[in-house]
Amino acid sequence: MQGARFDEVEVRRPDLRAPFPERFAARLVGQTVRALTRRGKYLLAALSSDETLLMHLGMSGWFHVERLERRVERRGERRGGLSADRQASAGLAATAPDPHDHVIFRMSSGATVRFNDPRRFGTMELLSPARLAAHPTLSLLGPEPLSEAFDAAALARACRGKKTSLKAALLDQRIVAGLGNIYASEALHVAGLSPRRRAAIIATPAGAPRDAARRLTAAIKQVLTEAVERAAGSDEYRDARFRVYDREGQRCPRRGCPGTIVRRTQAGRSTFSCPVCQR
DNA sequence: ATTGAGACCTGTCGGC
DNA sequence: TGCCGACAGGTCTCAA
């Protein structure tokens, strides 16, 4: 998409979690994507008109990219290796779109980009610079977890005085941007911290980082870095093997730990942890 | 002001 | 085989 123009925009189902912007397709066609970036779980396409196309995948959303130059695509994708069913659905797309393909972008580069989202929790917004800057969620996002700005001091400051649990704090996008339910559990396990402890325990009353803040910050960076490396080009969600997520009743993977993974509900979400090595 | 619960929507899976 | 409830990766709103 980057550097390419929207030649055709097909909205096949305009009612995602939020309704589509007025005249969404008409406003996109003819515009060029100046840059394609990410902030937290949001994707941003900066457009030639200075507007931004803001996209979120929700729970079940995904983008499928298909190019006209098939040979180029095959070579490019070999390293990651698409799963067999995804290749099959790619072949089908041209003739019989999936009923959950809600938006289709046809780009001047020859790429066709389909946004598919069975649960329709995803969103697409088209925002002026002013409305982008004032976006109620985006403007409040915390630091990028893999940036230098995210360190033990920043995490401790954000958690200072918080009565909520560590798990809930990690899911709060204002504290750190982009962690979801899986990697919140994973990071707490790596850090050896119980998801049920109060978030405030990682900071001194003055907001300075305790050792737990250092361990947690390092653990977040570690699990995300590993996940990105593993996920590049593959179906990460289905293929991934997690330390604790979705492993209730199994042995704790920490060397020498005799614990068994438990699942508990916190703030309406499943949390997985080892009650022996996470304190 | 913070916090947790419920809502949004569809698909899948396990149990009976 | 078929039906039913539980559960799923994320926000967002509302009421306590």
Tab-separated table of all heavy atoms in Angstrom, chain A residues 44-64:
chain	number	residue	atom	x	y	z
A	44	LEU	N	-1.955	2.989	10.883
A	44	LEU	CA	-2.225	4.313	10.343
A	44	LEU	C	-1.692	4.432	8.919
A	44	LEU	O	-0.512	4.156	8.678
A	44	LEU	CB	-1.567	5.400	11.201
A	44	LEU	CG	-1.999	5.542	12.659
A	44	LEU	CD1	-1.182	4.639	13.561
A	44	LEU	CD2	-1.856	6.987	13.110
A	45	ALA	N	-2.557	4.835	8.016
A	45	ALA	CA	-2.128	5.142	6.650
A	45	ALA	C	-2.236	6.648	6.472
A	45	ALA	O	-3.336	7.203	6.467
A	45	ALA	CB	-3.002	4.405	5.633
A	46	ALA	N	-1.084	7.296	6.349
A	46	ALA	CA	-1.063	8.746	6.128
A	46	ALA	C	-1.321	9.004	4.646
A	46	ALA	O	-0.629	8.462	3.788
A	46	ALA	CB	0.278	9.324	6.549
A	47	LEU	N	-2.322	9.825	4.356
A	47	LEU	CA	-2.782	9.992	2.974
A	47	LEU	C	-2.294	11.307	2.383
A	47	LEU	O	-1.933	12.244	3.108
A	47	LEU	CB	-4.312	9.945	2.932
A	47	LEU	CG	-4.933	8.693	3.556
A	47	LEU	CD1	-6.448	8.810	3.576
A	47	LEU	CD2	-4.500	7.449	2.805
A	48	SER	N	-2.339	11.367	1.053
A	48	SER	CA	-1.870	12.572	0.356
A	48	SER	C	-2.703	13.802	0.709
A	48	SER	O	-2.235	14.925	0.607
A	48	SER	CB	-1.884	12.339	-1.158
A	48	SER	OG	-3.062	11.670	-1.554
A	49	SER	N	-3.928	13.608	1.161
A	49	SER	CA	-4.791	14.738	1.532
A	49	SER	C	-4.488	15.263	2.931
A	49	SER	O	-5.155	16.179	3.395
A	49	SER	CB	-6.235	14.279	1.516
A	49	SER	OG	-6.427	13.309	2.533
A	50	ASP	N	-3.518	14.636	3.625
A	50	ASP	CA	-3.194	14.946	5.024
A	50	ASP	C	-4.152	14.300	6.003
A	50	ASP	O	-3.993	14.440	7.215
A	50	ASP	CB	-3.135	16.455	5.296
A	50	ASP	CG	-1.820	17.043	4.793
A	50	ASP	OD1	-0.879	16.249	4.562
A	50	ASP	OD2	-1.744	18.265	4.629
A	51	GLU	N	-5.169	13.625	5.498
A	51	GLU	CA	-6.001	12.837	6.401
A	51	GLU	C	-5.268	11.536	6.733
A	51	GLU	O	-4.299	11.168	6.067
A	51	GLU	CB	-7.339	12.497	5.735
A	51	GLU	CG	-8.265	13.676	5.565
A	51	GLU	CD	-9.540	13.268	4.871
A	51	GLU	OE1	-9.464	12.742	3.748
A	51	GLU	OE2	-10.610	13.470	5.462
A	52	THR	N	-5.754	10.845	7.772
A	52	THR	CA	-5.188	9.554	8.141
A	52	THR	C	-6.284	8.504	8.169
A	52	THR	O	-7.352	8.724	8.741
A	52	THR	CB	-4.529	9.631	9.533
A	52	THR	OG1	-3.433	10.550	9.473
A	52	THR	CG2	-4.011	8.274	9.969
A	53	LEU	N	-6.004	7.392	7.515
A	53	LEU	CA	-6.894	6.238	7.605
A	53	LEU	C	-6.424	5.415	8.806
A	53	LEU	O	-5.315	4.881	8.807
A	53	LEU	CB	-6.826	5.407	6.318
A	53	LEU	CG	-7.532	4.054	6.330
A	53	LEU	CD1	-9.024	4.198	6.592
A	53	LEU	CD2	-7.279	3.310	5.021
A	54	LEU	N	-7.265	5.366	9.833
A	54	LEU	CA	-6.913	4.688	11.076
A	54	LEU	C	-7.655	3.359	11.135
A	54	LEU	O	-8.880	3.326	10.999
A	54	LEU	CB	-7.307	5.576	12.263
A	54	LEU	CG	-6.920	5.096	13.653
A	54	LEU	CD1	-5.417	5.118	13.834
A	54	LEU	CD2	-7.585	5.974	14.714
A	55	MET	N	-6.921	2.277	11.338
A	55	MET	CA	-7.535	0.946	11.278
A	55	MET	C	-7.176	0.124	12.514
A	55	MET	O	-6.069	0.223	13.043
A	55	MET	CB	-7.043	0.215	10.021
A	55	MET	CG	-7.377	0.954	8.732
A	55	MET	SD	-6.611	0.232	7.256
A	55	MET	CE	-4.943	0.881	7.357
A	56	HIS	N	-8.136	-0.668	12.961
A	56	HIS	CA	-7.906	-1.554	14.098
A	56	HIS	C	-8.513	-2.914	13.771
A	56	HIS	O	-9.585	-2.987	13.181
A	56	HIS	CB	-8.554	-0.957	15.353
A	56	HIS	CG	-8.074	-1.570	16.636
A	56	HIS	ND1	-8.336	-2.885	16.974
A	56	HIS	CD2	-7.350	-1.062	17.649
A	56	HIS	CE1	-7.789	-3.135	18.160
A	56	HIS	NE2	-7.174	-2.056	18.593
A	57	LEU	N	-7.819	-3.972	14.142
A	57	LEU	CA	-8.261	-5.324	13.780
A	57	LEU	C	-9.241	-5.927	14.775
A	57	LEU	O	-9.795	-7.000	14.518
A	57	LEU	CB	-7.049	-6.255	13.665
A	57	LEU	CG	-6.051	-5.908	12.565
A	57	LEU	CD1	-4.820	-6.784	12.682
A	57	LEU	CD2	-6.684	-6.058	11.199
A	58	GLY	N	-9.459	-5.261	15.902
A	58	GLY	CA	-10.339	-5.862	16.900
A	58	GLY	C	-9.809	-7.215	17.330
A	58	GLY	O	-8.604	-7.413	17.497
A	59	MET	N	-10.697	-8.180	17.528
A	59	MET	CA	-10.278	-9.510	17.979
A	59	MET	C	-9.979	-10.431	16.801
A	59	MET	O	-9.029	-11.205	16.845
A	59	MET	CB	-11.399	-10.150	18.799
A	59	MET	CG	-11.711	-9.420	20.067
A	59	MET	SD	-11.005	-10.218	21.482
A	59	MET	CE	-12.434	-11.044	22.128
A	60	SER	N	-10.813	-10.375	15.786
A	60	SER	CA	-10.747	-11.414	14.750
A	60	SER	C	-10.348	-10.871	13.382
A	60	SER	O	-10.399	-11.602	12.403
A	60	SER	CB	-12.107	-12.123	14.648
A	60	SER	OG	-13.150	-11.180	14.391
A	61	GLY	N	-9.940	-9.606	13.325
A	61	GLY	CA	-9.650	-9.021	12.024
A	61	GLY	C	-8.285	-9.414	11.475
A	61	GLY	O	-7.355	-9.693	12.237
A	62	TRP	N	-8.185	-9.447	10.158
A	62	TRP	CA	-6.879	-9.613	9.531
A	62	TRP	C	-6.914	-9.019	8.133
A	62	TRP	O	-7.970	-8.869	7.521
A	62	TRP	CB	-6.417	-11.069	9.505
A	62	TRP	CG	-7.324	-12.063	8.870
A	62	TRP	CD1	-8.514	-12.517	9.379
A	62	TRP	CD2	-7.138	-12.748	7.632
A	62	TRP	NE1	-9.056	-13.438	8.525
A	62	TRP	CE2	-8.232	-13.608	7.445
A	62	TRP	CE3	-6.132	-12.720	6.677
A	62	TRP	CZ2	-8.365	-14.426	6.321
A	62	TRP	CZ3	-6.269	-13.550	5.559
A	62	TRP	CH2	-7.377	-14.396	5.404
A	63	PHE	N	-5.732	-8.678	7.642
A	63	PHE	CA	-5.605	-8.178	6.284
A	63	PHE	C	-4.981	-9.261	5.428
A	63	PHE	O	-4.034	-9.926	5.847
A	63	PHE	CB	-4.701	-6.942	6.233
A	63	PHE	CG	-5.372	-5.699	6.729
A	63	PHE	CD1	-5.126	-5.233	8.007
A	63	PHE	CD2	-6.254	-4.998	5.922
A	63	PHE	CE1	-5.739	-4.085	8.477
A	63	PHE	CE2	-6.869	-3.849	6.382
A	63	PHE	CZ	-6.619	-3.387	7.659
A	64	HIS	N	-5.530	-9.384	4.244
A	64	HIS	CA	-4.899	-10.270	3.282
A	64	HIS	C	-4.445	-9.435	2.108
A	64	HIS	O	-5.224	-8.661	1.577
A	64	HIS	CB	-5.851	-11.360	2.816
A	64	HIS	CG	-5.191	-12.317	1.881
A	64	HIS	ND1	-4.570	-13.452	2.319
A	64	HIS	CD2	-4.972	-12.251	0.552
A	64	HIS	CE1	-4.022	-14.059	1.291
A	64	HIS	NE2	-4.241	-13.356	0.198
